[in-house]
Amino acid sequence: MDSGANVTRCTLFHTHSEDYRCVTIITVKRAAATFSVIGCIFMLFVIWIFHKYSSLAQGEVLPDGILCNFQAWWLTYFDWCSLAWVCCITLNLYINLVKEMRTERFEIAYHITAWGVPFCLSCLPLFGDYYGPAGAWCWISNEHMAWRFGIWYIPLFILIFLMMLCYSRIIYVAKKRASTWSGTYNPNREGSKVHVCF
């Protein structure tokens, strides 16, 4: 092999890309991607041949009832859980990087927030009987559009905006520290860590 050539490295095993382990992983990855593309093309071909779907909804919408309410609650709860965990992670990064505080003590609060708040929010439309068929799936029914905005869309965009502010501050602080970095030892920071421990 030419020593001057640009040789790619296998970062997983810290070797050259010709290592059998890297070759195996790349081969499996390419085979899986090939099967995925073939499967997608096959599904599109079947849909085109049989003209099965006239809309993006691929199944029957559940009629209004217990199962529809459960599906709507499930969707609302886990959408909120996902958003709550992203907010908790953002807050954790902010506290760690900007405030330079240890966050282990907030772990229980994160779990209560990320599982409890979504539970309460997803139960509100359930108790008001606002769940029902909403297009391709069950969610807050079309007759209760204000509930959709109040329970999901408005809080979603407010939280996204707040997370953008947090990440802007995190990036600003990280860049500022990187530009003034003079090593790993900072006497002020190390002194504050000693006070935290005792």
Side-chain angles (χ1 to χ4, degrees):
M1 178 174 21
D2 184 14
S3 60
N6 186 7
V7 178
T8 59
R9 296 196 47 83
C10 180
T11 57
L12 183 63
F13 299 110
H14 303 293
T15 63
H16 291 289
S17 61
E18 291 83 21
D19 184 3
Y20 75 94
R21 297 174 294 184
C22 290
V23 171
T24 303
I25 289 173
I26 290 171
T27 304
V28 169
K29 191 166 75 170
R30 287 180 181 162
T34 302
F35 286 126
S36 178
V37 169
I38 291 170
C40 289
I41 291 171
F42 175 75
M43 289 302 297
L44 291 171
F45 180 71
V46 167
I47 291 169
W48 178 67
I49 289 290
F50 295 111
H51 302 287
K52 173 73 176 161
Y53 301 115
S54 59
S55 70
L56 294 176
Q58 295 187 4
E60 295 288 325
V61 177
L62 295 172
D64 197 7
I66 293 173
L67 196 57
C68 183
N69 287 345
F70 177 74
Q71 181 189 29
W73 178 87
W74 186 271
L75 178 70
T76 305
Y77 178 69
F78 285 106
D79 280 350
W80 263 108
C81 285
S82 299
L83 180 61
W85 275 114
V86 170
C87 290
C88 287
I89 291 168
T90 302
L91 179 63
N92 195 61
L93 284 170
Y94 183 84
I95 292 171
N96 272 326
L97 191 69
V98 176
K99 299 294 183 185
E100 294 183 358
M101 294 172 45
R102 298 182 61 86
T103 57
E104 290 86 6
R105 65 177 182 239
F106 300 126
E107 187 174 329
I108 293 172
Y110 290 154
H111 280 280
I112 290 170
T113 302
W115 300 114
V117 171
F119 182 80
C120 294
L121 288 171
S122 62
C123 286
L124 291 175
L126 185 65
F127 296 144
D129 197 30
Y130 298 133
Y131 286 139
W137 53 80
C138 293
W139 192 41
I140 298 171
S141 62
N142 295 333
E143 294 82 31
H144 306 289
M145 196 65 70
W147 270 87
R148 287 185 188 179
F149 280 90
I151 209 87
W152 178 246
Y153 292 115
I154 293 172
L156 171 71
F157 287 110
I158 289 171
L159 289 172
I160 287 173
F161 177 74
L162 291 174
M163 284 189 289
M164 286 172 44
L165 291 178
C166 282
Y167 278 114
S168 298
R169 179 73 177 148
I170 289 168
I171 291 168
Y172 172 77
V173 169
K175 284 186 176 183
K176 184 177 174 185
R177 284 194 191 141
S179 68
T180 61
W181 188 71
S182 61
T184 58
Y185 180 74
N186 181 342
N188 295 331
R189 191 176 300 150
E190 296 301 322
S192 67
K193 287 182 183 177
V194 171
H195 290 67
V196 171
C197 293
F198 293 110

